[in-house]
Amino acid sequence: TVGAVARDAAGRLAAATSTGGMTNKRPGRVGDCPVFGAGTWADQAVAISCTGTGEAFIRAAAAHEISARIRHLGETLEQACARVIGTDVPAAGGRGGLIAVDAAGHAALPFNTEGMYRGAWRAGGRPFIAIHEEAPAGSVP
Amino acid sequence: GWTLAIHGGAGTIPRAALTGGKEAEYRAGLLAALEAGATVLRAGGTAGDAVVEAVRALEDCPLFNAGRGSTFTSDGTIEMDAALMLGEGKAGAVTGVTRPRNPIRAARAVLEGGRHVLLSGAAADAFAAATGLDLAPADYFRTEHRLAQLEAARAQDRVALDHDVPAPARMG
């Protein structure tokens, strides 16, 4: 699964996700990617794209849960992402990771697997690319 | 300023599997996607256009599980899903598509169409064709390494959704 999230210079947020699913999956099986609130979500607070065991991300309403925790509990982006990817998704029987950017332009790239192909870039900065633990799993330099 | 982040999948990624220049190939694919999205944002484009361009680049790279290089179903077919959501509350998605060269552009077409949020299967393929999106034959999406993963899964009689199956076999 691949995905991207962005905050543009005008403050707009967006999330996109695309996938071939799982190897040897049953034809017709749909994972979390096109299920809004599970694998893909964007609102005024945050944009999120997920990757991993799709059924678990659906059960956890993973992407929307992150937004809800930020909006209603006042959690930071990193706190909300850490809770969902570290607790909620595993509790639902899944593994994987996600990328997220909030309204202030903060980014988080957490995962609970051995690695995640990932990258980030901010205006005026340099591109960051990682696969394993080259940088803390939840942060962007 | 703007911020962009991308992912190309998560799972068990043994360092040994990234030898022989493979790691450099993955990093180049990720950088190309960042460049594609950042080019839009640098020019003052929207977050929506940026994420579509970044994902389009990842779909075009056969290393990642989307578009060209997608995983196979148990029937040996390729069925792809894609979704786009904007912070202002607009959304579009497609599931089980087999023909759009870039499924994310089909998702954007659904969003821009405004009448629906999610189209599936043959209807989504037909919508993409009617919208004038680039289509591709089935062979375009197939890669040898994904076929080898399917054959390995079949040989071990793995069921795709068993949670005790190692992630690489399930997710490529």
Side-chain angles (χ1 to χ4, degrees), chain A residues 121-135:
Chain A
W121 204 346
R122 285 189 179 133
R126 292 188 303 171
F128 160 75
I129 292 171
I131 299 174
H132 294 99
E133 294 287 350
E134 295 91 333

Side-chain angles (χ1 to χ4, degrees), chain A residues 1 3 5-8 13 15 17-25 27-28 49 105 114-115 117 119-121 123 129 132 134, chain B residues 1-9 11 13 15 27 42 47 59 65 71-72 74-75 79-83 85 87 158 169-170:
Chain A
T1 302
V5 295
R7 175 199 186 273
D8 63 33
L13 296 171
T17 315
S18 183
T19 189
M22 293 177 170
T23 297
N24 206 23
K25 69 181 180 182
S49 174
E114 182 178 328
Y117 299 105
W121 204 346
I129 292 171
H132 294 99
E134 295 91 333
Chain B
W2 51 264
T3 303
L4 172 70
I6 62 168
H7 68 78
I13 307 172
R15 293 177 192 274
R27 288 180 178 275
R42 210 181 285 124
E59 288 177 338
N65 179 19
T71 53
F72 287 87
S74 57
D75 283 353
E79 298 179 355
M80 300 168 287
D81 310 323
M85 189 165 188
R158 287 174 174 162
R170 288 188 284 109

Side-chain angles (χ1 to χ4, degrees), chain A residues 1-109:
Chain A
T1 302
V2 307
V5 295
R7 175 199 186 273
D8 63 33
R12 292 169 294 219
L13 296 171
T17 315
S18 183
T19 189
M22 293 177 170
T23 297
N24 206 23
K25 69 181 180 182
R26 181 188 299 273
R29 176 261 186 187
V30 177
D32 62 313
C33 163
V35 178
F36 292 108
T40 307
W41 184 258
D43 57 22
Q44 300 288 326
V46 63
I48 301 148
S49 174
C50 303
T51 177
T53 317
E55 282 71 9
F57 283 82
I58 294 172
R59 293 186 192 107
H64 187 270
E65 178 68 10
I66 290 170
S67 172
R69 298 187 74 88
I70 292 171
R71 289 182 291 117
H72 300 300
L73 300 182
E75 291 186 349
T76 66
L77 179 70
E78 288 209 357
Q79 287 172 332
C81 289
R83 163 69 188 217
V84 169
I85 209 67
T87 302
D88 296 356
V89 170
R95 303 168 68 233
L98 62 86
I99 55 173
V101 61
D102 68 15
H106 300 125
L109 298 81

Side-chain angles (χ1 to χ4, degrees), chain B residues 34-47:
Chain B
L34 280 176
E35 288 277 8
T39 297
V40 173
L41 294 168
R42 210 181 285 124
T46 68

